[in-house]
Amino acid sequence: MRVFKLKDQSLLPAFGIQMASVDAFSGTDDVGAGYGVIEPEGVTAFHRHDECELFAILEGEGVVEADGGDRIAVGSGDLVAISPFDKHVLRNTGSGKLVFATAYWRDAKTAMKEAEKGASAQEEVTDPAAEAPCFVFSTPPTPNGDLHLGHLSGPYFGADVFARFQRLLGKTAFHITGSDDFQSYVIAKGRQLNKTPQEVADHFSREITETLDLLDVQIDQFTLTSHAPDYERQVKAFFQSVAASDSVQRRADSAAFDPTTDAYLYECDIKGRCPTCGSGSGGNICEECGEPNLAYDMLDPVSTQTGATPVVRPCERYAIALNDFADHILGAMRESKASARLQALAERVLAREDFHVPITHPQNWGISPTDPDMADQVFWVWPEMSFGFLYGIEALGQRIGHDWKALEPRDNWKFVHFFGYDNSFYHTILYPALYKAAFPDWHADIEYHVNEFLCLEGDKFSTSRQRAVWGKEVLTPETVDCVRFHLALTRGEIERTNFSVSALQATNRDLIDVWQGWLQALGAEVLTRHDGVAPDAGDWSVDHQAFLQLLEQHRQQIETAYGSAGFSLNKAADTLQTLVRDTIRFVKANRHLAGHAAAADRHRTTIALQLAAARLLSDATAPLMPRFSEALRKGLGLDPASTWPRTIELLPAGNRVTLSDQRFFSEKVGENVAPIKVTDAA
């Protein structure tokens, strides 16, 4: 036995208060102990951990605040038990010190159970009618060109699959995007084509929406910002709210100008090297490290209009002090779905001292502030986009009968952003800061899903260099499911990946030979042995039971890959492939039962389980390959998928099965792709 005098222990900063460890059980890693002291009005940091914890209040009084807003008063003599991953905080509400002792230990089984509960809770719907709406945003494409597979594989495809899955779960989910009409890149394209920015935006917006349709991307609201009713007035109102914040000011900071034309230089009008990582960069953002620049501060800057070295002089613009929002942004990111890379980017950017980012620029294409003396400036299109998402909600609501207001955002709105890493700064740092400035009392619930670049034959896709495989080159009603599946397999999720036409064609060959081959063989066997009607299961062997369990494992893995917490189209596609191959292996292992009268009941179960696997495949591909899913379900005598399966279901006995001659995939994938350009000419 050992006795510890708490006053003898060394207190150190931890979790926002003073704590001391107590080596009560030396020699074991199973149990830890300690005690803490919270000064009057003090509070621990909100945190969660994987250990079970039990702490006892020894002195003082306070409240325990749990995730979800529950507050429980505690005082001397009270015990508090904390399960793994429960978010909690202890606050001193008394006039003296609050002292507590704590013991904590790891229980792997309990931690795993709580982790699974936390992940599944994001997907459960108890009352769909009362469910808060989920708005899935994909970065609005710039209408300076059509969409290539690099564009399509990222935000638009990801958001489409995510929203489809949420609806299968019974949630109210909408995919919102639009045309980013007021981009400086639209002006540059107009100079190249000798067209006005409006003509460029209108032409390529049509091209973009046609390509998204070809990819079977369902969009509930597509906003054409240069034509949207009442859009300009509401943008101005939003920025007036932003400008009312103490963190937003008119400032005469340094800016870059062309010494020949005196043109203001930003975004595509200036290039150089990133001041953070040294990589080649355009103005205002580095695609390599994701960090913003201020255009004038790039290394070796050059005007892209004249080739001249810019001159730097003050220019008065509206600017936002991002440092003022650091705690809000970082705290929200830690509690939302945000990758480690996004959090690291935010921590780097928000560590910059006195970092003011201009949100207006001298330009004649866009929406100007209300200030009469700033009529020659426009709101920077990226801050404008933050409002564009809110506008999209209002416009959608007007069509479907909801009184959603862009300038009155609600706490129960769920936002899910899909974007490429090169746009991370805007979505995860700039937008939350603008929202907090405009709506200080709004508690925005935002999660982030980021993709990395999909490269083309080892180099970046490039609209300006016309080095791309364009969506219209490969997408037809017959090829779209193969393209979607291949993009799911190969899209960049945690690192850059590569696209090649030969790899796309190899995927298609696999879908035809393996997937379609198995389904046609299954249909032929049902036709031959059961007159084309699904049989009921008969006698179950141990192998049959094991295969049923394996199907359930695959169902759960795919559910996780489509879900909010573990979203990964790479994993979903990999698991779908494994599902098909495991089923084929199961068929081969049980083929010896075919044709033997004594084993007829067991072979009937083998066929019934194959049909169950095909049914699972039809359910599991509904978000990813909707045409294939619908065709397969029709071949199984089922209606199109409308709900996500919560368990493995056998195909109802008696369903008419018409798979034997069904062709799901085309032989012509990738035949119309033009030779890949290798020049760097603009």
Side-chain angles (χ1 to χ4, degrees):
M1 182 176 70
R2 303 167 68 192
V3 176
F4 294 88
K5 301 293 186 181
L6 298 184
K7 63 183 179 181
D8 294 337
Q9 307 304 308
S10 298
L11 290 166
L12 296 171
F15 297 107
I17 61 170
Q18 296 292 308
M19 293 196 68
S21 295
V22 175
D23 189 15
F25 304 99
S26 59
T28 177
D29 294 328
D30 295 336
V31 181
Y35 87 105
V37 176
I38 308 178
E39 299 294 335
E41 300 183 358
V43 60
T44 65
F46 252 125
H47 63 285
R48 53 168 62 95
H49 43 67
D50 68 311
E51 298 102 335
C52 301
E53 182 180 14
L54 182 68
F55 61 85
I57 306 299
L58 304 178
E59 176 186 335
E61 57 187 21
V63 294
V64 176
E65 299 177 8
D67 203 357
D70 293 338
R71 293 167 57 91
I72 303 172
V74 293
S76 178
D78 288 337
L79 297 174
V80 180
I82 302 294
S83 297
F85 309 117
D86 275 355
K87 181 180 172 184
H88 56 283
V89 66
L90 179 58
R91 185 183 303 274
N92 186 343
T93 58
S95 58
K97 293 181 178 180
L98 190 155
V99 182
F100 65 93
T102 178
Y104 46 91
W105 62 96
R106 282 191 166 88
D107 182 330
K109 185 179 292 186
T110 301
M112 181 59 69
K113 183 178 179 180
E114 293 297 323
E116 291 173 352
K117 185 189 301 182
S120 63
Q122 299 185 55
E123 316 303 345
E124 294 293 335
V125 179
T126 55
D127 181 7
E131 180 70 16
C134 174
F135 300 110
V136 185
F137 301 128
S138 53
T139 303
T142 302
N144 67 332
D146 203 350
L147 297 179
H148 53 61
L149 292 187
H151 296 130
L152 294 173
S153 70
Y156 315 107
F157 181 37
D160 178 65
V161 174
F162 184 91
R164 287 176 183 268
F165 179 66
Q166 294 299 307
R167 288 191 285 267
L168 288 175
L169 293 176
K171 295 193 175 186
T172 304
F174 304 98
H175 182 184
I176 294 176
T177 188
S179 180
D180 196 15
D181 288 358
F182 296 122
Q183 273 279 8
S184 63
Y185 294 88
V186 174
I187 303 174
K189 191 68 174 181
R191 288 196 297 261
Q192 180 184 343
L193 299 177
N194 196 27
K195 293 181 179 294
T196 67
Q198 189 68 68
E199 290 172 329
V200 171
D202 290 347
H203 172 74
F204 285 112
S205 292
R206 289 191 295 270
E207 294 290 327
I208 286 167
T209 54
E210 288 172 3
T211 301
L212 291 171
D213 286 342
L214 286 172
L215 190 63
D216 283 343
V217 172
Q218 293 180 335
I219 297 176
D220 299 287
Q221 169 63 28
F222 192 94
T223 302
L224 298 169
T225 54
S226 62
H227 294 287
D230 202 36
Y231 181 76
E232 180 175 347
R233 181 193 67 79
Q234 292 209 57
V235 168
K236 290 176 181 286
F238 172 71
F239 274 94
Q240 281 184 299
S241 297
V242 170
S245 168
D246 292 339
S247 300
V248 178
Q249 301 171 347
R250 286 176 59 163
R251 296 168 55 91
D253 292 328
S254 296
F257 292 84
D258 190 300
T260 304
T261 64
D262 202 39
Y264 175 85
L265 302 176
Y266 76 123
E267 293 195 325
C268 62
D269 292 328
I270 185 172
K271 65 180 181 180
R273 292 188 295 116
C274 172
T276 299
C277 72
S279 299
S281 175
N284 298 96
I285 203 72
C286 174
E287 291 186 348
E288 294 298 321
C289 70
E291 294 205 25
N293 61 67
L294 300 175
Y296 79 88
D297 60 349
M298 286 193 296
L299 307 176
D300 306 321
V302 174
S303 167
T304 60
Q305 295 187 33
T306 65
T309 299
V311 295
V312 178
R313 67 170 187 264
C315 178
E316 186 175 31
R317 297 157 294 180
Y318 275 102
I320 185 168
L322 289 181
N323 310 82
D324 292 354
F325 304 93
D327 290 343
H328 166 71
I329 293 170
L330 294 174
M333 287 186 71
R334 293 186 187 111
E335 294 305 318
S336 69
K337 168 67 177 178
S339 70
R341 192 178 187 199
L342 292 178
Q343 293 185 49
L345 173 65
E347 288 168 357
R348 293 197 309 270
V349 171
L350 295 172
R352 299 185 187 182
E353 295 183 5
D354 196 32
F355 186 43
H356 293 80
V357 174
I359 57 175
T360 62
H361 294 287
Q363 188 59 267
N364 58 8
W365 172 240
I367 300 174
S368 297
T370 56
D371 312 45
D373 61 337
M374 297 193 78
D376 62 340
Q377 295 199 17
V378 298
F379 299 119
W380 189 22
V381 73
W382 289 101
E384 179 207 318
M385 192 185 297
S386 68
F387 174 77
F389 291 132
L390 301 178
Y391 178 90
I393 293 173
E394 179 174 323
L396 172 66
Q398 289 176 348
R399 289 205 323 274
I400 64 176
H402 288 282
D403 61 342
W404 298 327
K405 300 297 183 184
L407 295 171
E408 299 174 14
R410 302 178 184 179
D411 287 352
N412 73 332
W413 289 354
K414 175 73 176 180
F415 287 3
V416 183
H417 284 250
F418 280 81
F419 52 90
Y421 182 73
D422 53 326
N423 292 331
S424 297
F425 163 72
Y426 308 120
H427 285 265
T428 64
I429 302 173
L430 184 59
Y431 295 173
L434 291 165
Y435 289 150
K436 197 65 176 175
F439 312 112
D441 297 326
W442 177 36
H443 301 286
D445 180 5
I446 308 176
E447 68 179 57
Y448 306 106
H449 296 275
V450 62
N451 63 271
E452 303 288 342
F453 284 123
L454 177 70
C455 296
L456 175 60
E457 306 286 3
D459 194 7
K460 289 181 184 178
F461 280 80
S462 173
T463 300
S464 61
R465 291 184 286 139
Q466 294 293 292
R467 187 180 189 280
V469 174
W470 304 97
K472 291 187 175 71
E473 290 182 292
V474 295
L475 291 169
T476 68
E478 294 74 30
T479 64
V480 61
D481 280 318
C482 171
V483 174
R484 285 173 67 107
F485 183 71
H486 184 72
L487 293 180
L489 279 174
T490 59
R491 71 194 294 263
E493 290 186 346
I494 60 173
E495 60 187 2
R496 293 184 180 184
T497 54
N498 192 57
F499 174 86
S500 69
V501 175
S502 60
L504 171 65
Q505 292 172 330
T507 294
N508 190 57
R509 188 76 263 155
D510 195 58
L511 291 173
I512 292 173
D513 292 347
V514 180
W515 290 36
Q516 183 171 283
W518 160 55
L519 292 170
Q520 288 178 340
L522 172 59
E525 187 163 23
V526 174
L527 181 63
T528 300
R529 298 186 183 279
H530 300 280
D531 297 323
V533 174
D536 199 358
D539 185 24
W540 286 70
S541 69
V542 173
D543 284 348
H544 290 143
Q545 296 173 56
F547 182 66
L548 183 65
Q549 292 177 328
L550 183 61
L551 290 180
E552 173 59 17
Q553 291 172 15
H554 290 328
R555 187 200 67 80
Q556 292 178 13
Q557 290 169 348
I558 297 168
E559 182 179 272
T560 298
Y562 285 147
S564 183
F567 186 80
S568 169
L569 296 187
N570 293 165
K571 292 179 181 177
D574 282 341
T575 308
L576 288 168
Q577 281 193 321
T578 304
L579 164 63
V580 173
R581 296 186 184 279
D582 281 350
T583 303
I584 293 172
R585 185 178 186 279
F586 167 75
V587 173
K588 290 180 179 179
N590 286 274
R591 67 184 183 276
H592 305 289
L593 299 177
H596 295 280
D601 286 342
R602 276 175 286 158
H603 185 60
R604 189 154 46 93
T605 304
T606 299
I607 295 178
L609 283 171
Q610 281 194 74
L611 291 169
R615 179 175 186 168
L616 174 60
L617 185 65
S618 74
D619 283 319
T621 52
L624 190 66
M625 307 159 73
R627 291 177 189 254
F628 168 77
S629 170
E630 187 169 345
L632 176 53
R633 291 181 69 82
K634 184 177 180 180
L636 294 171
L638 298 170
D639 293 331
S642 59
T643 60
W644 181 255
R646 294 300 184 177
T647 187
I648 300 301
E649 297 179 79
L650 298 181
L651 191 67
N655 269 33
R656 177 63 60 181
V657 177
T658 56
L659 297 175
S660 57
D661 296 322
Q662 199 158 350
R663 296 182 179 274
F664 299 100
F665 305 104
S666 169
E667 298 276 356
K668 298 182 178 181
V669 170
E671 287 186 352
N672 297 322
V673 176
I676 305 301
K677 292 181 179 291
V678 295
T679 66
D680 287 341

